[in-house]
Amino acid sequence: MNDPDILESRRDILDLFASYEAMLTPKQREVLNEYYRFDLSLSEIASDSLVSRAAVHDAIEKAVAKMQSYEEKLHLVEKRKDIKKTIEAIEAVDDDKIKLELYQQLVKDLSNGI
């Protein structure tokens, strides 16, 4: 895996974490926060938590799998990205009629539970 792939994967996990953080256990939240947001190493987290490096790695893998499972079912990250694209399109359009149509579509999408 090259650097752009690693960065994209990290960004994807942070997007999942932003959407599903509340659905994780407190320990999973803490470990993911330290690893992905504060960029601590597995060894640093293990030392602080008084567990093995393997235990930290396992906790991260399980939490990421859990969030990916939630995303497969709920699509919150995908929906958030779609909303952002629609807002960007609204801001980029000069034609008021098209802008209104995009805005109405956004309101419809949001009222349908996005």
Side-chain angles (χ1 to χ4, degrees):
M1 196 181 289
N2 62 35
D3 286 345
D5 292 339
I6 291 170
L7 292 176
E8 185 174 339
S9 173
R10 189 175 189 90
R11 188 192 66 228
D12 290 345
I13 292 170
L14 284 167
D15 287 345
L16 289 171
F17 191 44
S19 293
Y20 301 110
E21 179 176 0
M23 299 171 82
L24 300 174
T25 67
K27 190 64 180 171
Q28 287 172 326
R29 284 194 300 268
E30 178 184 338
V31 169
L32 287 178
N33 196 44
E34 290 175 346
Y35 188 72
Y36 286 104
R37 290 187 177 148
F38 295 121
D39 203 27
L40 296 180
S41 70
L42 297 177
S43 298
E44 289 171 318
I45 298 167
S47 177
D48 291 345
S49 302
L50 303 175
V51 297
S52 70
R53 184 183 176 282
V56 172
H57 181 268
D58 186 51
I60 291 170
E61 293 294 317
K62 286 181 181 178
V64 169
K66 190 178 196 181
M67 292 186 304
Q68 288 169 334
S69 175
Y70 291 145
E71 178 62 13
E72 288 174 15
K73 294 174 180 112
L74 302 172
H75 307 284
L76 296 180
V77 173
E78 179 184 335
K79 290 173 185 177
R80 181 180 286 157
K81 287 178 182 179
D82 289 344
I83 289 169
K84 185 177 179 181
K85 285 179 187 176
T86 302
I87 291 169
E88 289 170 355
I90 290 170
E91 291 171 347
V93 171
D94 289 331
D95 185 327
D96 288 341
K97 184 177 179 181
I98 295 172
K99 191 175 279 207
L100 179 61
E101 289 171 4
L102 289 168
Y103 175 75
Q104 288 172 333
Q105 181 61 46
L106 179 61
V107 169
K108 180 181 173 185
D109 290 343
L110 290 172
S111 67
N112 286 335
I114 293 180

